[in-house]
Amino acid sequence: MASYSLDLRQKIVATHEAGNTSIRKVAEQFQVATKIVQTITRDRRAKSQTRVVLNK
């Protein structure tokens, strides 16, 4: 996977998490592959779940 800026990754996650936007639409909007959006959002969810467990 090519290296994408933190800013771009944050925008992709924010757009997808805002709701009512499919992975395909987010990928088209930011001109990246759907697999990139899937990977970024999956990694974000995994990190969020880890933080919740560690904070207990």
Side-chain angles (χ1 to χ4, degrees):
M1 174 170 75
S3 181
Y4 292 96
S5 70
L6 178 59
D7 182 53
L8 177 61
R9 289 182 280 151
Q10 289 173 336
K11 287 178 183 178
I12 288 171
V13 169
T15 301
H16 186 258
E17 288 181 349
N20 299 328
T21 308
S22 69
I23 287 176
R24 182 177 290 147
K25 295 280 186 189
V26 174
E28 289 174 5
Q29 179 179 344
F30 290 100
Q31 299 180 350
V32 297
T34 54
K35 185 68 175 171
I36 298 300
V37 178
Q38 290 173 333
T39 301
I40 291 170
T41 55
R42 183 193 65 227
D43 291 349
R44 175 68 174 217
R45 278 193 306 269
K47 287 179 184 176
S48 295
Q49 290 173 352
T50 301
R51 284 190 197 127
V52 170
V53 171
L54 293 175
N55 289 332
K56 284 188 175 182

